[in-house]
Amino acid sequence: MAAHALVAFEPRKTPIQARSTVTVEAISEAAVQVLLSHGAERLTTTRVADRAGVSVGTLYQYYPNKQSLLFAVLENHFNHVALRVEEACANACHKPLSEMTKETVEAFVDAKMERADISVALYRVAGDVGGPTLVKRVNQRTRKAVEAMLETAPDIKSPPDKFAVEIMLSAMGGAMRSLLESGPSPATVRKAREQLVLLCQSYMAAATAKRG
Amino acid sequence: MAAHALVAFEPRKTPIQARSTVTVEAISEAAVQVLLSHGAERLTTTRVADRAGVSVGTLYQYYPNKQSLLFAVLENHFNHVALRVEEACANACHKPLSEMTKETVEAFVDAKMERADISVALYRVAGDVGGPTLVKRVNQRTRKAVEAMLETAPDIKSPPDKFAVEIMLSAMGGAMRSLLESGPSPATVRKAREQLVLLCQSYMAAATAKRG
DNA sequence: GCATTGGATGAAGGATTCTTCAGATTTGGA
DNA sequence: TCCAAATCTGAAGAATCCTTCATCCAATGC
Protein backbone atom coordinates (compact mmCIF):
# COMPACT_ATOMS: atom_id res chain seq x y z
CA MET A 1 0.00 0.00 0.00
CA ALA A 2 2.74 2.38 0.95
CA ALA A 3 4.73 1.40 -2.11
CA HIS A 4 1.72 1.94 -4.31
CA ALA A 5 1.17 5.37 -2.81
CA LEU A 6 4.66 6.34 -3.87
CA VAL A 7 4.09 5.52 -7.51
CA ALA A 8 2.40 8.85 -8.13
CA PHE A 9 5.51 10.58 -6.89
CA GLU A 10 7.80 9.18 -9.49
CA PRO A 11 9.14 11.46 -12.21
CA ARG A 12 7.28 11.53 -15.47
CA LYS A 13 10.06 11.86 -17.99
CA THR A 14 13.81 11.50 -17.84
CA PRO A 15 15.91 14.30 -19.29
CA ILE A 16 17.85 13.39 -22.44
CA GLN A 17 19.37 16.56 -23.75
CA ALA A 18 21.64 18.69 -21.65
CA ARG A 19 19.30 21.65 -21.48
CA SER A 20 16.53 19.63 -19.91
CA THR A 21 18.93 18.38 -17.29
CA VAL A 22 19.64 21.96 -16.42
CA THR A 23 15.94 22.65 -16.34
CA VAL A 24 15.02 19.92 -13.89
CA GLU A 25 17.78 20.97 -11.57
CA ALA A 26 16.66 24.57 -11.79
CA ILE A 27 13.13 23.50 -10.91
CA SER A 28 14.24 21.42 -7.98
CA GLU A 29 16.40 24.22 -6.66
CA ALA A 30 13.61 26.74 -7.22
CA ALA A 31 11.29 24.57 -5.16
CA VAL A 32 13.67 24.86 -2.23
CA GLN A 33 13.95 28.60 -2.69
CA VAL A 34 10.20 29.10 -2.80
CA LEU A 35 9.82 26.88 0.22
CA LEU A 36 12.24 29.11 2.10
CA SER A 37 10.89 32.46 0.95
CA HIS A 38 7.14 31.81 0.78
CA GLY A 39 6.60 28.85 3.06
CA ALA A 40 5.00 25.51 2.37
CA GLU A 41 1.48 26.91 2.20
CA ARG A 42 2.33 29.36 -0.56
CA LEU A 43 4.38 26.90 -2.56
CA THR A 44 2.71 26.92 -5.96
CA THR A 45 3.72 25.10 -9.09
CA THR A 46 3.44 28.35 -11.02
CA ARG A 47 5.57 30.15 -8.50
CA VAL A 48 8.23 27.46 -8.61
CA ALA A 49 8.28 27.52 -12.39
CA ASP A 50 8.58 31.32 -12.41
CA ARG A 51 11.46 31.18 -10.00
CA ALA A 52 13.15 28.52 -12.10
CA GLY A 53 12.73 30.70 -15.18
CA VAL A 54 10.57 28.21 -17.04
CA SER A 55 6.87 27.85 -17.65
CA VAL A 56 4.53 25.69 -15.63
CA GLY A 57 4.09 23.31 -18.51
CA THR A 58 7.76 22.46 -18.39
CA LEU A 59 7.51 21.60 -14.73
CA TYR A 60 4.68 19.19 -15.43
CA GLN A 61 6.74 17.56 -18.12
CA TYR A 62 9.06 16.14 -15.48
CA TYR A 63 6.92 15.94 -12.39
CA PRO A 64 3.42 14.47 -12.71
CA ASN A 65 2.14 16.68 -9.92
CA LYS A 66 3.11 19.05 -7.18
CA GLN A 67 3.62 16.32 -4.62
CA SER A 68 6.12 14.47 -6.74
CA LEU A 69 8.18 17.62 -6.95
CA LEU A 70 8.28 18.04 -3.21
CA PHE A 71 8.91 14.37 -2.76
CA ALA A 72 11.97 14.62 -4.95
CA VAL A 73 13.32 17.51 -2.92
CA LEU A 74 12.71 15.64 0.30
CA GLU A 75 14.37 12.54 -1.05
CA ASN A 76 17.40 14.55 -2.08
CA HIS A 77 17.87 15.97 1.35
CA PHE A 78 17.46 12.64 3.08
CA ASN A 79 19.87 10.94 0.76
CA HIS A 80 22.45 13.56 1.47
CA VAL A 81 22.18 13.14 5.21
CA ALA A 82 22.15 9.35 4.97
CA LEU A 83 25.27 9.42 2.86
CA ARG A 84 27.14 11.49 5.39
CA VAL A 85 26.21 9.12 8.18
CA GLU A 86 27.22 6.11 6.12
CA GLU A 87 30.58 7.68 5.44
CA ALA A 88 31.08 8.32 9.12
CA CYS A 89 30.18 4.74 9.94
CA ALA A 90 32.60 3.34 7.41
CA ASN A 91 35.24 5.61 8.84
CA ALA A 92 34.73 4.62 12.44
CA CYS A 93 35.01 0.88 12.01
CA HIS A 94 37.22 -0.95 14.51
CA LYS A 95 37.27 2.00 16.90
CA PRO A 96 35.94 1.79 20.46
CA LEU A 97 32.20 1.92 20.86
CA SER A 98 32.08 5.39 22.35
CA GLU A 99 34.20 6.75 19.55
CA MET A 100 31.97 5.11 16.95
CA THR A 101 28.92 6.63 18.51
CA LYS A 102 30.48 10.04 18.76
CA GLU A 103 31.51 10.17 15.14
CA THR A 104 28.18 8.89 13.89
CA VAL A 105 26.14 11.36 15.89
CA GLU A 106 28.35 14.24 14.97
CA ALA A 107 28.12 13.37 11.32
CA PHE A 108 24.36 13.40 11.55
CA VAL A 109 24.19 16.71 13.36
CA ASP A 110 26.65 18.32 11.00
CA ALA A 111 24.87 17.04 7.90
CA LYS A 112 21.59 18.44 9.16
CA MET A 113 23.12 21.78 10.07
CA GLU A 114 24.79 22.07 6.72
CA ARG A 115 21.38 22.85 5.25
CA ALA A 116 19.53 23.87 8.35
CA ASP A 117 17.16 26.11 6.45
CA ILE A 118 16.15 23.37 4.08
CA SER A 119 15.67 20.94 6.91
CA VAL A 120 13.26 23.25 8.64
CA ALA A 121 11.38 24.03 5.45
CA LEU A 122 10.99 20.35 4.68
CA TYR A 123 9.56 19.47 8.06
CA ARG A 124 6.53 21.44 6.95
CA VAL A 125 5.84 19.44 3.83
CA ALA A 126 7.01 16.00 4.86
CA GLY A 127 3.59 15.01 6.08
CA ASP A 128 1.80 15.55 2.77
CA VAL A 129 4.45 13.97 0.61
CA GLY A 130 5.17 10.52 1.90
CA GLY A 131 7.58 11.80 4.52
CA PRO A 132 7.03 8.98 7.01
CA THR A 133 7.58 6.39 4.30
CA LEU A 134 10.80 8.05 3.26
CA VAL A 135 11.94 8.41 6.83
CA LYS A 136 11.38 4.73 7.35
CA ARG A 137 13.36 3.85 4.25
CA VAL A 138 16.26 6.12 5.15
CA ASN A 139 16.28 4.94 8.74
CA GLN A 140 16.52 1.39 7.47
CA ARG A 141 19.48 2.28 5.36
CA THR A 142 21.19 4.17 8.14
CA ARG A 143 20.53 1.43 10.63
CA LYS A 144 22.30 -1.07 8.45
CA ALA A 145 25.35 1.13 8.23
CA VAL A 146 25.41 1.57 11.97
CA GLU A 147 24.99 -2.13 12.59
CA ALA A 148 27.79 -3.01 10.22
CA MET A 149 30.00 -0.58 12.06
CA LEU A 150 29.06 -1.96 15.46
CA GLU A 151 29.99 -5.45 14.33
CA THR A 152 33.58 -4.32 14.19
CA ALA A 153 33.69 -2.77 17.64
CA PRO A 154 36.59 -4.29 19.58
CA ASP A 155 35.26 -3.56 23.06
CA ILE A 156 31.83 -5.16 23.10
CA LYS A 157 30.75 -8.74 23.41
CA SER A 158 27.47 -8.61 21.52
CA PRO A 159 26.19 -5.71 19.45
CA PRO A 160 23.06 -3.97 20.67
CA ASP A 161 19.63 -5.04 19.59
CA LYS A 162 18.48 -3.99 16.12
CA PHE A 163 15.66 -2.27 17.90
CA ALA A 164 17.99 -0.26 20.07
CA VAL A 165 19.68 1.23 17.05
CA GLU A 166 16.33 2.26 15.65
CA ILE A 167 15.40 3.93 18.89
CA MET A 168 18.66 5.79 18.94
CA LEU A 169 18.29 7.03 15.40
CA SER A 170 14.74 8.24 15.85
CA ALA A 171 15.58 9.90 19.15
CA MET A 172 18.48 11.65 17.50
CA GLY A 173 16.25 12.79 14.66
CA GLY A 174 13.60 14.06 17.01
CA ALA A 175 15.99 16.03 19.15
CA MET A 176 17.54 17.50 16.04
CA ARG A 177 14.19 18.54 14.70
CA SER A 178 13.25 20.26 17.91
CA LEU A 179 16.56 22.05 17.90
CA LEU A 180 16.32 23.19 14.30
CA GLU A 181 12.81 24.47 14.69
CA SER A 182 13.87 26.66 17.57
CA GLY A 183 16.28 28.62 15.41
CA PRO A 184 19.30 27.91 17.60
CA SER A 185 22.43 30.02 17.95
CA PRO A 186 25.75 28.45 17.00
CA ALA A 187 26.57 28.13 20.68
CA THR A 188 23.35 26.27 21.30
CA VAL A 189 24.06 23.96 18.41
CA ARG A 190 27.48 23.17 19.80
CA LYS A 191 26.04 22.37 23.18
CA ALA A 192 23.28 20.27 21.70
CA ARG A 193 25.78 18.35 19.65
CA GLU A 194 27.75 17.48 22.77
CA GLN A 195 24.68 16.45 24.68
CA LEU A 196 23.38 14.37 21.83
CA VAL A 197 26.66 12.52 21.69
CA LEU A 198 26.43 11.88 25.40
CA LEU A 199 22.84 10.70 25.08
CA CYS A 200 23.69 8.17 22.43
CA GLN A 201 26.92 7.04 24.02
CA SER A 202 25.31 6.32 27.34
CA TYR A 203 22.47 4.48 25.67
CA MET A 204 24.73 2.39 23.49
CA ALA A 205 26.82 1.47 26.50
CA ALA A 206 23.73 0.51 28.46
CA ALA A 207 22.28 -1.53 25.60
CA THR A 208 25.47 -3.45 25.02
CA ALA A 209 27.20 -6.26 26.76
CA LYS A 210 30.78 -5.20 27.28
CA ARG A 211 33.64 -7.49 26.40
CA GLY A 212 35.82 -8.55 29.27
CA MET B 1 6.35 37.59 16.51
CA ALA B 2 5.45 34.06 17.38
CA ALA B 3 2.92 35.31 19.89
CA HIS B 4 1.38 37.60 17.32
CA ALA B 5 1.12 34.79 14.84
CA LEU B 6 -0.99 32.87 17.31
CA VAL B 7 -3.56 35.63 17.72
CA ALA B 8 -5.42 34.54 14.59
CA PHE B 9 -5.82 31.09 16.13
CA GLU B 10 -7.82 32.20 19.11
CA PRO B 11 -11.51 31.36 19.26
CA ARG B 12 -13.94 33.98 18.09
CA LYS B 13 -16.79 33.60 20.52
CA THR B 14 -17.20 31.80 23.81
CA PRO B 15 -20.23 29.56 24.20
CA ILE B 16 -22.80 30.80 26.70
CA GLN B 17 -25.79 28.58 26.41
CA ALA B 18 -25.56 24.85 26.91
CA ARG B 19 -26.41 23.90 23.34
CA SER B 20 -23.55 25.92 21.91
CA THR B 21 -21.16 24.18 24.26
CA VAL B 22 -22.33 20.92 22.81
CA THR B 23 -21.86 22.34 19.34
CA VAL B 24 -18.26 23.42 19.78
CA GLU B 25 -17.35 20.06 21.22
CA ALA B 26 -19.06 18.30 18.37
CA ILE B 27 -17.09 20.41 15.92
CA SER B 28 -13.80 19.74 17.63
CA GLU B 29 -14.48 16.02 17.73
CA ALA B 30 -15.64 16.05 14.13
CA ALA B 31 -12.35 17.67 13.14
CA VAL B 32 -10.49 14.73 14.62
CA GLN B 33 -12.76 12.26 12.87
CA VAL B 34 -12.36 13.92 9.51
CA LEU B 35 -8.63 14.06 10.05
CA LEU B 36 -8.60 10.34 10.63
CA SER B 37 -10.94 9.34 7.82
CA HIS B 38 -10.02 11.80 5.08
CA GLY B 39 -6.52 12.95 5.97
CA ALA B 40 -5.17 16.41 6.52
CA GLU B 41 -5.29 17.36 2.87
CA ARG B 42 -9.02 16.65 2.57
CA LEU B 43 -9.90 18.32 5.82
CA THR B 44 -12.47 20.91 4.82
CA THR B 45 -14.44 23.27 7.00
CA THR B 46 -17.62 22.19 5.24
CA ARG B 47 -16.79 18.54 5.74
CA VAL B 48 -16.10 19.07 9.42
CA ALA B 49 -19.35 20.95 9.86
CA ASP B 50 -21.26 18.22 8.08
CA ARG B 51 -19.75 15.56 10.26
CA ALA B 52 -20.57 17.60 13.34
CA GLY B 53 -24.15 17.91 12.16
CA VAL B 54 -24.08 21.69 11.91
CA SER B 55 -23.68 24.16 9.09
CA VAL B 56 -20.45 25.82 8.09
CA GLY B 57 -21.67 29.16 9.35
CA THR B 58 -21.90 27.76 12.84
CA LEU B 59 -18.32 26.60 12.69
CA TYR B 60 -17.17 30.07 11.75
CA GLN B 61 -19.07 31.49 14.69
CA TYR B 62 -16.57 29.90 17.04
CA TYR B 63 -13.43 29.57 14.99
CA PRO B 64 -12.27 32.54 12.91
CA ASN B 65 -10.73 30.22 10.33
CA LYS B 66 -9.75 26.70 9.56
CA GLN B 67 -6.34 26.98 11.16
CA SER B 68 -7.76 28.06 14.48
CA LEU B 69 -9.89 24.95 14.53
CA LEU B 70 -6.93 22.68 13.95
CA PHE B 71 -4.87 24.64 16.41
CA ALA B 72 -7.49 24.04 19.09
CA VAL B 73 -7.45 20.32 18.42
CA LEU B 74 -3.69 20.24 18.57
CA GLU B 75 -3.63 22.24 21.77
CA ASN B 76 -6.11 19.87 23.35
CA HIS B 77 -4.00 16.87 22.61
CA PHE B 78 -0.80 18.46 23.83
CA ASN B 79 -2.40 19.63 27.03
CA HIS B 80 -3.62 16.16 27.72
CA VAL B 81 -0.19 14.64 27.30
CA ALA B 82 1.50 17.37 29.30
CA LEU B 83 -0.94 16.87 32.14
CA ARG B 84 -0.20 13.19 32.33
CA VAL B 85 3.51 13.82 32.49
CA GLU B 86 3.06 16.46 35.16
CA GLU B 87 1.05 14.06 37.25
CA ALA B 88 3.73 11.44 36.93
CA CYS B 89 6.40 13.92 37.96
CA ALA B 90 4.47 15.00 41.01
CA ASN B 91 4.02 11.39 41.89
CA ALA B 92 7.65 10.43 41.56
CA CYS B 93 9.12 13.09 43.82
CA HIS B 94 11.69 11.93 46.36
CA LYS B 95 12.20 8.63 44.61
CA PRO B 96 15.58 7.56 43.19
CA LEU B 97 16.60 9.13 39.92
CA SER B 98 16.14 6.01 37.84
CA GLU B 99 12.67 5.48 39.22
CA MET B 100 11.76 9.09 38.47
CA THR B 101 12.92 8.74 34.94
CA LYS B 102 11.12 5.49 34.43
CA GLU B 103 7.79 6.79 35.62
CA THR B 104 8.04 9.99 33.64
CA VAL B 105 8.91 8.28 30.40
CA GLU B 106 6.24 5.66 30.83
CA ALA B 107 3.63 8.30 31.52
CA PHE B 108 4.58 10.03 28.30
CA VAL B 109 4.50 6.89 26.22
CA ASP B 110 1.20 5.80 27.70
CA ALA B 111 -0.41 9.19 27.21
CA LYS B 112 0.61 9.21 23.58
CA MET B 113 -0.58 5.67 22.99
CA GLU B 114 -3.92 6.39 24.62
CA ARG B 115 -4.85 8.32 21.51
CA ALA B 116 -2.38 6.95 19.06
CA ASP B 117 -4.63 7.60 16.08
CA ILE B 118 -5.05 11.24 16.98
CA SER B 119 -1.35 11.64 17.54
CA VAL B 120 -0.57 10.36 14.08
CA ALA B 121 -3.26 12.46 12.45
CA LEU B 122 -1.98 15.58 14.15
CA TYR B 123 1.61 15.11 13.03
CA ARG B 124 0.29 15.87 9.58
CA VAL B 125 -1.17 19.25 10.40
CA ALA B 126 1.15 20.47 13.10
CA GLY B 127 3.36 22.24 10.61
CA ASP B 128 0.69 24.53 9.23
CA VAL B 129 -0.92 25.41 12.51
CA GLY B 130 1.72 26.75 14.83
CA GLY B 131 2.82 23.27 15.82
CA PRO B 132 6.43 24.19 16.55
CA THR B 133 5.33 27.09 18.72
CA LEU B 134 2.97 24.87 20.67
CA VAL B 135 5.58 22.17 21.01
CA LYS B 136 7.96 24.73 22.43
CA ARG B 137 5.39 25.94 24.90
CA VAL B 138 4.44 22.46 26.05
CA ASN B 139 8.06 21.38 26.26
CA GLN B 140 8.72 24.36 28.49
CA ARG B 141 5.88 23.37 30.75
CA THR B 142 6.96 19.75 30.87
CA ARG B 143 10.54 20.67 31.48
CA LYS B 144 9.60 22.66 34.54
CA ALA B 145 7.72 19.73 35.97
CA VAL B 146 10.65 17.43 35.36
CA GLU B 147 13.10 19.88 36.90
CA ALA B 148 10.98 20.32 39.99
CA MET B 149 10.87 16.57 40.35
CA LEU B 150 14.61 16.22 39.91
CA GLU B 151 15.23 18.77 42.68
CA THR B 152 13.82 16.25 45.10
CA ALA B 153 15.93 13.32 44.00
CA PRO B 154 17.75 11.91 47.02
CA ASP B 155 20.56 10.24 45.14
CA ILE B 156 22.08 13.02 43.06
CA LYS B 157 24.36 15.85 44.00
CA SER B 158 23.35 18.41 41.38
CA PRO B 159 20.42 18.12 39.02
CA PRO B 160 21.21 17.86 35.32
CA ASP B 161 21.51 20.87 33.12
CA LYS B 162 18.29 22.54 31.99
CA PHE B 163 19.49 21.83 28.51
CA ALA B 164 19.87 18.13 29.17
CA VAL B 165 16.24 17.86 30.15
CA GLU B 166 15.21 19.56 26.94
CA ILE B 167 17.30 17.17 24.92
CA MET B 168 15.77 14.23 26.67
CA LEU B 169 12.23 15.42 26.11
CA SER B 170 12.72 16.13 22.45
CA ALA B 171 14.51 12.83 21.90
CA MET B 172 11.66 11.05 23.60
CA GLY B 173 9.14 12.87 21.46
CA GLY B 174 11.01 12.08 18.28
CA ALA B 175 11.36 8.40 19.02
CA MET B 176 7.69 8.25 19.90
CA ARG B 177 6.72 9.93 16.67
CA SER B 178 8.75 7.53 14.62
CA LEU B 179 7.19 4.65 16.46
CA LEU B 180 3.63 5.87 16.07
CA GLU B 181 4.02 6.55 12.39
CA SER B 182 5.15 2.99 11.80
CA GLY B 183 1.86 1.58 13.06
CA PRO B 184 3.47 -0.60 15.72
CA SER B 185 2.08 -3.81 17.21
CA PRO B 186 1.41 -3.88 20.95
CA ALA B 187 4.50 -6.01 21.40
CA THR B 188 6.59 -3.44 19.60
CA VAL B 189 5.16 -0.68 21.73
CA ARG B 190 6.03 -2.58 24.88
CA LYS B 191 9.58 -3.09 23.71
CA ALA B 192 9.96 0.51 22.66
CA ARG B 193 8.66 1.66 26.00
CA GLU B 194 11.34 -0.35 27.76
CA GLN B 195 14.09 0.87 25.51
CA LEU B 196 12.97 4.46 25.84
CA VAL B 197 13.13 4.16 29.59
CA LEU B 198 16.62 2.75 29.31
CA LEU B 199 17.65 5.54 26.94
CA CYS B 200 16.50 8.27 29.28
CA GLN B 201 17.77 6.57 32.42
CA SER B 202 21.25 6.13 31.09
CA TYR B 203 21.33 9.70 29.83
CA MET B 204 20.09 11.16 33.09
CA ALA B 205 22.65 9.17 34.97
CA ALA B 206 25.41 10.34 32.66
CA ALA B 207 24.32 13.98 32.83
CA THR B 208 24.16 14.01 36.61
CA ALA B 209 26.70 14.14 39.35
CA LYS B 210 25.90 11.35 41.76
CA ARG B 211 25.74 11.97 45.49
CA GLY B 212 28.18 10.04 47.60
C1' DG C 1 -46.63 36.85 26.19
C1' DC C 2 -43.02 39.55 24.40
C1' DA C 3 -38.58 41.40 23.56
C1' DT C 4 -33.80 40.64 23.38
C1' DT C 5 -29.90 38.13 22.88
C1' DG C 6 -27.71 33.86 21.49
C1' DG C 7 -27.37 30.46 18.03
C1' DA C 8 -27.85 28.30 13.45
C1' DT C 9 -28.39 28.25 8.38
C1' DG C 10 -26.41 27.60 3.69
C1' DA C 11 -26.31 29.68 -0.85
C1' DA C 12 -23.12 32.54 -3.10
C1' DG C 13 -18.97 35.52 -3.54
C1' DG C 14 -14.25 35.65 -4.25
C1' DA C 15 -9.96 33.80 -4.75
C1' DT C 16 -6.59 30.18 -5.66
C1' DT C 17 -4.58 26.38 -7.44
C1' DC C 18 -3.49 22.30 -10.19
C1' DT C 19 -3.06 20.54 -14.53
C1' DT C 20 -3.57 20.13 -19.59
C1' DC C 21 -2.59 20.55 -24.45
C1' DA C 22 -2.19 22.46 -28.99
C1' DG C 23 1.19 24.86 -30.98
C1' DA C 24 5.85 27.31 -31.13
C1' DT C 25 10.83 26.72 -30.57
C1' DT C 26 15.27 24.49 -30.25
C1' DT C 27 18.50 20.76 -30.77
C1' DG C 28 21.22 17.00 -32.86
C1' DG C 29 22.12 14.37 -36.52
C1' DA C 30 21.90 13.08 -41.61
C1' DT D 1 20.51 22.60 -45.08
C1' DC D 2 16.60 20.07 -43.32
C1' DC D 3 13.88 16.97 -40.47
C1' DA D 4 12.36 14.46 -36.52
C1' DA D 5 12.59 14.35 -31.78
C1' DA D 6 13.00 16.88 -27.65
C1' DT D 7 11.59 20.96 -25.15
C1' DC D 8 9.15 24.74 -23.93
C1' DT D 9 5.12 27.87 -23.63
C1' DG D 10 1.18 29.86 -21.11
C1' DA D 11 -3.64 30.82 -21.60
C1' DA D 12 -7.62 28.43 -20.16
C1' DG D 13 -10.35 24.58 -18.10
C1' DA D 14 -11.95 22.50 -14.08
C1' DA D 15 -12.21 21.79 -9.45
C1' DT D 16 -12.01 23.20 -4.80
C1' DC D 17 -12.03 25.68 -0.90
C1' DC D 18 -12.54 29.49 2.61
C1' DT D 19 -15.43 32.72 4.38
C1' DT D 20 -19.36 35.96 4.74
C1' DC D 21 -23.88 37.68 5.69
C1' DA D 22 -28.71 38.34 5.44
C1' DT D 23 -32.13 35.67 7.53
C1' DC D 24 -34.49 32.51 10.43
C1' DC D 25 -35.02 29.73 14.86
C1' DA D 26 -34.52 29.12 19.98
C1' DA D 27 -33.88 30.51 24.67
C1' DT D 28 -33.90 33.51 28.54
C1' DG D 29 -35.69 37.03 31.42
C1' DC D 30 -39.24 40.26 32.49
Side-chain angles (χ1 to χ4, degrees):
Chain A
M1 191 182 71
H4 180 269
L6 290 184
V7 170
F9 295 155
E10 272 159 25
R12 171 173 281 171
K13 189 205 276 187
T14 304
I16 292 182
Q17 298 181 0
R19 85 181 138 143
S20 63
T21 302
V22 171
T23 298
V24 295
E25 263 165 33
I27 292 173
S28 162
E29 179 59 29
V32 173
Q33 295 304 327
V34 172
L35 215 48
L36 292 174
S37 59
H38 294 250
E41 206 74 348
R42 300 205 179 292
L43 186 295
T44 276
T45 49
T46 305
R47 232 190 290 264
V48 170
D50 280 351
R51 184 118 192 186
V54 301
S55 78
V56 224
T58 299
L59 187 157
Y60 278 93
Q61 204 130 28
Y62 299 101
Y63 300 96
N65 49 51
K66 189 175 119 171
Q67 290 199 326
S68 77
L69 168 63
L70 295 181
F71 182 82
V73 172
L74 195 62
E75 199 173 24
N76 248 21
H77 177 69
F78 280 167
N79 280 341
H80 177 256
V81 174
L83 201 65
R84 286 300 166 90
V85 173
E86 285 174 337
E87 288 171 1
C89 286
N91 218 48
C93 277
H94 303 292
K95 297 185 180 178
L97 177 63
S98 76
E99 184 64 25
M100 280 181 168
T101 308
K102 178 183 163 84
E103 291 186 15
T104 303
V105 172
E106 287 183 348
F108 176 75
V109 173
D110 293 346
K112 271 288 186 194
M113 289 309 301
E114 230 177 90
R115 313 272 280 184
D117 50 355
I118 296 182
S119 293
V120 174
L122 288 179
Y123 286 139
R124 291 277 183 88
V125 300
D128 310 320
V129 187
T133 304
L134 256 186
V135 169
K136 207 178 301 176
R137 186 190 297 172
V138 173
N139 258 25
Q140 205 81 337
R141 197 178 132 187
T142 309
R143 181 172 54 74
K144 275 181 187 147
V146 172
E147 281 174 355
M149 170 184 71
L150 290 174
E151 290 287 345
T152 72
D155 57 346
I156 61 177
K157 198 183 299 175
S158 66
D161 192 359
K162 170 187 298 191
F163 205 70
V165 176
E166 261 172 21
I167 292 274
M168 186 186 84
L169 290 176
S170 59
M172 204 168 67
M176 206 53 208
R177 173 175 187 156
S178 221
L179 180 73
L180 279 164
E181 280 179 336
S182 73
S185 68
T188 303
V189 173
R190 238 174 296 132
K191 213 165 154 189
R193 202 172 90 131
E194 265 177 38
Q195 290 296 311
L196 221 44
V197 167
L198 181 60
L199 172 78
C200 294
Q201 279 178 332
S202 48
Y203 179 51
M204 281 294 102
T208 304
K210 295 233 178 60
R211 182 181 302 275
Chain B
M1 190 181 70
H4 180 270
L6 291 183
V7 170
F9 294 156
E10 273 161 26
R12 170 173 283 169
K13 190 205 278 187
T14 304
I16 292 182
Q17 301 179 359
R19 82 181 142 142
S20 63
T21 303
V22 171
T23 298
V24 293
E25 264 165 33
I27 292 173
S28 162
E29 180 59 30
V32 173
Q33 295 304 326
V34 172
L35 214 50
L36 292 174
S37 59
H38 293 248
E41 205 75 349
R42 298 203 179 294
L43 186 296
T44 278
T45 49
T46 305
R47 231 189 290 263
V48 170
D50 280 352
R51 185 119 192 185
V54 300
S55 79
V56 224
T58 299
L59 188 157
Y60 278 93
Q61 205 132 26
Y62 300 101
Y63 300 96
N65 51 53
K66 188 175 122 173
Q67 289 199 326
S68 78
L69 167 62
L70 295 180
F71 182 81
V73 173
L74 195 62
E75 199 175 24
N76 248 21
H77 178 69
F78 279 167
N79 280 340
H80 177 256
V81 174
L83 201 64
R84 286 299 164 90
V85 173
E86 284 173 337
E87 287 170 1
C89 286
N91 217 50
C93 277
H94 302 294
K95 296 185 179 177
L97 176 63
S98 78
E99 184 64 23
M100 280 180 169
T101 307
K102 179 183 163 84
E103 292 186 15
T104 303
V105 173
E106 287 183 348
F108 177 75
V109 173
D110 294 345
K112 270 289 185 194
M113 288 310 300
E114 231 177 89
R115 313 271 282 184
D117 50 355
I118 296 182
S119 293
V120 174
L122 288 178
Y123 286 139
R124 292 276 183 88
V125 300
D128 310 319
V129 187
T133 305
L134 256 187
V135 169
K136 207 178 300 175
R137 188 190 295 172
V138 173
N139 258 25
Q140 204 82 338
R141 198 178 131 185
T142 308
R143 181 172 54 73
K144 275 181 188 148
V146 172
E147 281 175 355
M149 172 183 70
L150 290 174
E151 289 289 343
T152 73
D155 57 345
I156 61 176
K157 198 183 299 175
S158 65
D161 193 359
K162 170 186 297 191
F163 205 70
V165 176
E166 261 171 22
I167 291 274
M168 186 186 84
L169 290 176
S170 60
M172 203 168 68
M176 205 55 208
R177 174 176 188 154
S178 222
L179 180 72
L180 280 164
E181 280 179 336
S182 73
S185 69
T188 303
V189 173
R190 237 174 297 132
K191 213 164 155 189
R193 202 172 88 131
E194 266 176 40
Q195 291 295 311
L196 220 44
V197 168
L198 181 60
L199 172 76
C200 294
Q201 280 178 333
S202 48
Y203 179 50
M204 282 293 102
T208 304
K210 295 236 178 58
R211 182 182 301 277

